Amino acid sequence: MDKRLRHIGLLRCFAAAAKHQSYSDAAEELAISQAAVSQQIRSLEQQLMVKLFKRNGRAMLLTSQGKTLQDYVNKAFSLLSEGFDRVQVEPEAGVLNVTTGLSFASIWLVPRLWRFSALHPSVTVKVFVSAELENVKHSELDVAIRQGDKIDHTVYNELLFTDPVFPVCSPNLIKNNNLSSPQQIGCCQLIEASGPGRFSWQNWFDTAGVAMQSSQMSWLEVSTLEMGINAVMAGQGICLAPKCLVSDLITNGLLVKPFNINIEPGQNFTLLYDQDSPRLARIQIFSRWLKQELADAGITKALLD
Amino acid sequence: MDKRLRHIGLLRCFAAAAKHQSYSDAAEELAISQAAVSQQIRSLEQQLMVKLFKRNGRAMLLTSQGKTLQDYVNKAFSLLSEGFDRVQVEPEAGVLNVTTGLSFASIWLVPRLWRFSALHPSVTVKVFVSAELENVKHSELDVAIRQGDKIDHTVYNELLFTDPVFPVCSPNLIKNNNLSSPQQIGCCQLIEASGPGRFSWQNWFDTAGVAMQSSQMSWLEVSTLEMGINAVMAGQGICLAPKCLVSDLITNGLLVKPFNINIEPGQNFTLLYDQDSPRLARIQIFSRWLKQELADAGITKALLD
DNA sequence: TTTTTAATATAAGTTAAACTTATGGATAAA
DNA sequence: TTTATCCATAAGTTTAACTTATATTAAAAA
């Protein structure tokens, strides 16, 4: 076997850098650091004793030898991808790794997963919580459900729904404070949650046409929406929340939406996955189920109360 | 980029194992351990979630999927090798790594290398000594000069010469012991050197037609032939040595060959290198010089005194 | 039939490669 | 001129690739 193939791992960085003629863009595509790309290209050039890139200001242009090698590497990689496709298409049965934010996971998704398991017992869903948008192309994660406006152009993005965001409080708070108009809301403790897709109370006051006098209001900041909702259910104040995470509680009478005023625009929830994933069959099973669950819960793409 | 290409490094082991349908043969070809091959194949199978080999007694037969992937991998690797060939042929100038035994290196090769450097100043020769036959295909070593009969079928082997092996001693020893016939040799201390291509005194006695009475003889065992030769020059006994390593000393009168009796067959010295090496131009410069040096020293392929 | 040999599988540990963060230098853009 | 962007490099960290040791199993030899 050709001993130069010992350094075959370096060719991934080469292919990405050659495609972009930029190490940092290559690094982004591969989800590694620019320095790693730089070092790997240097190593490859040393192993082969061939200069593959030439610096042009900030750009790294391919040498003619670099272009030649790029052609061969791209063809070889295409063959390998095709070979993988021929031997593998994962069956529907197996593991599926799902990533989403902590609040959506704990309040909405996980409590419903028993229904998915009942319908698809051969698929094992593993839920990974993260505050960030995780890379579903270059990690072992298969599907992301993200709130907020960030999208990842390298994978398939599907808007699941745009959820209205409004204040919620306990029924007791309304009774004890005789809460009847938006102007009175400033007299209660306002709860602000950090985390993905954070909402702005300023935004809500603007929409409601009420002046927000911060210095005279009582604030409570919590690190997750779940904590905010728990505080509200304990009677402790008013919290802004997306409908999907509180609708069950409102239906059950544990929470109340005191005013029919929503933040505009609402909160986007997006589904992301890699269309080239060998687990595509499994991903699509999950995706169909998820959309059905949302429809059953009366949650559609642009739901305005 | 296809995320499955992250595990491209595993494909080397796969290709070798698929070729041999044997992990240990693959390990030998790749100059790594069987356990490494086993673990890499297992890792690849897990990553792809495809069974590539099936156990058949001691053999590892390819599954049909394994055969499919083998075809693609072999084609891809051929493309990569061709790509490397197109962009690289190392110039004559550069580093050349040469491996040989300690005695040949120190006594013969290194003292002559100044002549190589004078003729080819752009080639830097680095000499690595080793008691074993090193792999010049799967290491950074480019050329091996080996004594003994072991050859490496994976690379080019060229017999340089077959050197006669005979006893040598100091002129003083002959004078002090009135050494005049082979039968008297047993009265002197016999020096035996370990190391590559070790020679047998039994063999010499057989050739000389003299009975060897081990229990009545005085033995000294040293770990390198160089040490043996140094002891002999100090007057300490008689040592078997190949001609190339002692001919200069005999010519200079520092050593004597007391009897014109050589061990049969003599000692093979073989040149080994990888014909696919990108340093082939450099290797061939060295090879031509080496053969010329041997010829100038009157050493040819089958030299019988 | 028993014993020995040969081959792979696995665990634990080690080494080397692949990565990160931090920082500097150079160029391009404001 | 200053700021921003990009790659290069050093030092350190993490992970993958390797090793050695040992167990298991099947094949070959006695």
Side-chain angles (χ1 to χ4, degrees), chain A residues 156-175:
Chain A
Y156 175 71
N157 293 259
E158 181 177 355
L159 179 67
L160 290 172
F161 57 97
T162 301
D163 215 18
V165 178
F166 46 76
V168 291
C169 59
S170 75
N172 281 340
L173 188 133
I174 289 184
K175 207 180 330 177

Side-chain angles (χ1 to χ4, degrees), chain B residues 22-24 34-35 38-39 42 55 58 60:
Chain B
S22 157
Y23 287 3
S24 46
Q34 164 267 320
S38 179
Q39 284 173 25
R42 181 175 65 181
R55 190 79 181 257
R58 298 194 208 166
M60 300 299 293

Side-chain angles (χ1 to χ4, degrees), chain A:
Chain A
M1 192 182 300
D2 190 333
K3 70 179 173 182
R4 293 168 298 184
L5 292 171
R6 275 173 65 203
H7 312 300
I8 198 175
L10 301 175
L11 293 175
R12 269 204 336 135
C13 279
F14 169 72
K19 172 181 162 190
H20 296 286
Q21 309 226 40
S22 157
Y23 288 3
S24 44
D25 288 347
E28 189 173 333
E29 175 171 344
L30 298 174
I32 59 174
S33 67
Q34 165 265 321
V37 172
S38 179
Q39 284 172 24
Q40 295 240 339
I41 303 289
R42 181 175 64 180
S43 182
L44 181 62
E45 285 180 328
Q46 282 172 359
Q47 300 292 346
L48 296 180
M49 297 188 78
V50 176
K51 192 117 187 74
L52 299 169
F53 291 94
K54 58 189 177 246
R55 190 83 181 256
N56 185 345
R58 297 193 210 165
M60 300 300 293
L61 304 183
L62 280 166
T63 61
S64 72
Q65 286 163 316
K67 283 185 190 116
T68 299
L69 188 62
Q70 181 190 26
D71 197 39
Y72 280 92
V73 168
N74 286 343
K75 281 190 220 148
F77 280 9
S78 291
L79 274 178
L80 291 177
S81 284
E82 193 177 336
F84 294 149
D85 288 341
R86 287 290 175 83
V87 300
Q88 93 180 152
V89 170
E90 293 201 23
E92 292 187 342
V95 174
L96 192 71
N97 296 315
V98 179
T99 179
T100 190
L102 177 62
S103 302
F104 186 77
S106 59
I107 296 175
W108 199 91
L109 180 62
V110 172
R112 288 169 167 79
L113 272 182
W114 66 271
R115 281 206 283 273
F116 179 80
S117 295
L119 284 172
H120 307 285
S122 65
V123 180
T124 306
V125 175
K126 292 185 181 176
V127 181
F128 298 83
V129 300
S130 168
E132 303 300 324
L133 173 57
E134 292 292 336
N135 190 312
V136 295
K137 198 172 181 91
H138 298 300
S139 76
E140 299 309 312
L141 298 170
D142 300 310
V143 187
I145 303 160
R146 300 302 334 175
Q147 36 189 135
D149 296 319
K150 285 183 84 172
I151 58 174
D152 179 351
H153 294 287
T154 67
V155 297
Y156 175 71
N157 293 259
E158 181 177 355
L159 179 67
L160 290 172
F161 57 97
T162 301
D163 215 18
V165 178
F166 46 76
V168 291
C169 59
S170 75
N172 281 340
L173 188 133
I174 289 184
K175 207 180 330 177
N176 294 343
N177 289 275
N178 269 321
L179 206 56
S180 55
S181 78
Q183 285 79 11
Q184 289 168 289
I185 221 160
C187 303
C188 310
Q189 189 170 40
L190 304 185
I191 298 172
E192 189 155 67
S194 328
R198 69 164 55 209
F199 332 111
S200 163
W201 267 109
Q202 180 70 62
N203 207 339
W204 186 85
F205 276 96
D206 290 345
T207 306
V210 176
M212 178 169 101
Q213 296 157 321
S214 287
S215 57
Q216 297 174 30
M217 296 173 176
S218 171
W219 294 97
L220 173 65
E221 179 159 343
V222 291
S223 59
T224 68
L225 191 54
E226 189 178 21
M227 282 164 79
I229 291 169
N230 285 339
V232 162
M233 283 204 298
Q236 196 171 354
I238 307 187
C239 183
L240 286 172
K243 183 175 175 181
C244 68
L245 300 189
V246 291
S247 58
D248 290 343
L249 297 171
I250 290 171
T251 301
N252 294 337
L254 297 176
L255 287 183
V256 177
K257 179 187 180 185
F259 310 108
N260 200 19
I261 301 169
N262 306 327
I263 286 184
E264 299 296 341
Q267 176 82 302
N268 287 342
F269 281 75
T270 309
L271 182 72
L272 302 94
Y273 58 85
D274 176 16
Q275 287 180 310
D276 297 326
S277 172
R279 295 181 172 176
L280 190 59
R282 204 172 302 155
I283 288 166
Q284 284 174 343
I285 288 175
F286 181 77
S287 170
R288 282 195 295 269
W289 169 82
L290 181 65
K291 286 181 236 173
Q292 188 60 51
E293 278 290 316
L294 290 169
D296 290 349
I299 299 170
T300 58
K301 280 200 178 173
L303 189 61
L304 302 171
D305 258 32

Side-chain angles (χ1 to χ4, degrees), chain B residues 10-293:
Chain B
L10 302 174
L11 294 175
R12 271 204 336 134
C13 279
F14 169 71
K19 173 180 162 190
H20 296 286
Q21 308 227 39
S22 157
Y23 287 3
S24 46
D25 288 345
E28 190 174 328
E29 174 171 344
L30 298 174
I32 59 175
S33 67
Q34 164 267 320
V37 171
S38 179
Q39 284 173 25
Q40 295 239 339
I41 303 290
R42 181 175 65 181
S43 181
L44 181 61
E45 286 180 329
Q46 281 173 1
Q47 300 294 346
L48 296 179
M49 298 188 79
V50 177
K51 191 123 188 74
L52 299 168
F53 291 93
K54 58 190 176 249
R55 190 79 181 257
N56 185 346
R58 298 194 208 166
M60 300 299 293
L61 304 183
L62 279 166
T63 61
S64 73
Q65 286 165 314
K67 284 186 188 118
T68 299
L69 188 61
Q70 183 192 24
D71 197 39
Y72 280 93
V73 168
N74 285 343
K75 282 189 221 152
F77 280 8
S78 291
L79 274 177
L80 290 177
S81 285
E82 193 178 336
F84 294 149
D85 288 341
R86 288 288 174 86
V87 301
Q88 88 177 160
V89 171
E90 293 201 25
E92 293 188 344
V95 173
L96 192 72
N97 296 316
V98 178
T99 179
T100 188
L102 177 59
S103 303
F104 186 75
S106 59
I107 296 175
W108 200 90
L109 179 61
V110 171
R112 291 169 165 78
L113 272 182
W114 67 270
R115 282 207 281 270
F116 180 78
S117 295
L119 283 173
H120 307 285
S122 65
V123 180
T124 305
V125 175
K126 292 185 181 178
V127 180
F128 298 83
V129 299
S130 169
E132 303 300 324
L133 173 57
E134 292 290 335
N135 190 314
V136 294
K137 197 170 180 90
H138 298 301
S139 74
E140 299 308 312
L141 300 169
D142 300 308
V143 186
I145 304 160
R146 300 303 334 176
Q147 40 190 130
D149 295 322
K150 283 185 90 174
I151 59 174
D152 180 352
H153 294 288
T154 67
V155 297
Y156 175 72
N157 295 260
E158 180 177 357
L159 179 66
L160 290 171
F161 57 97
T162 302
D163 214 16
V165 177
F166 47 77
V168 289
C169 59
S170 76
N172 283 337
L173 188 133
I174 289 186
K175 208 182 322 178
N176 293 342
N177 287 278
N178 270 319
L179 205 57
S180 56
S181 82
Q183 285 79 12
Q184 289 171 289
I185 222 163
C187 305
C188 311
Q189 188 172 46
L190 303 186
I191 299 172
E192 189 155 67
S194 326
R198 67 165 57 213
F199 331 112
S200 161
W201 267 109
Q202 180 69 62
N203 207 340
W204 185 84
F205 276 94
D206 291 344
T207 304
V210 177
M212 178 168 103
Q213 295 158 321
S214 286
S215 55
Q216 298 175 28
M217 295 176 174
S218 169
W219 294 96
L220 173 66
E221 180 160 343
V222 291
S223 60
T224 68
L225 190 54
E226 189 177 21
M227 283 164 77
I229 292 168
N230 285 339
V232 162
M233 282 204 301
Q236 194 169 1
I238 308 188
C239 184
L240 285 172
K243 183 177 178 181
C244 66
L245 299 190
V246 291
S247 58
D248 291 343
L249 297 171
I250 291 172
T251 300
N252 295 336
L254 297 175
L255 288 183
V256 177
K257 179 186 180 183
F259 310 110
N260 200 18
I261 301 172
N262 305 329
I263 286 184
E264 298 294 344
Q267 177 81 306
N268 288 340
F269 280 76
T270 309
L271 183 72
L272 303 96
Y273 58 86
D274 176 16
Q275 288 180 308
D276 296 327
S277 172
R279 295 181 173 177
L280 190 59
R282 205 172 302 155
I283 288 166
Q284 285 174 343
I285 288 175
F286 181 76
S287 171
R288 284 197 296 270
W289 169 81
L290 181 64
K291 285 181 236 173
Q292 186 61 51
E293 277 290 313

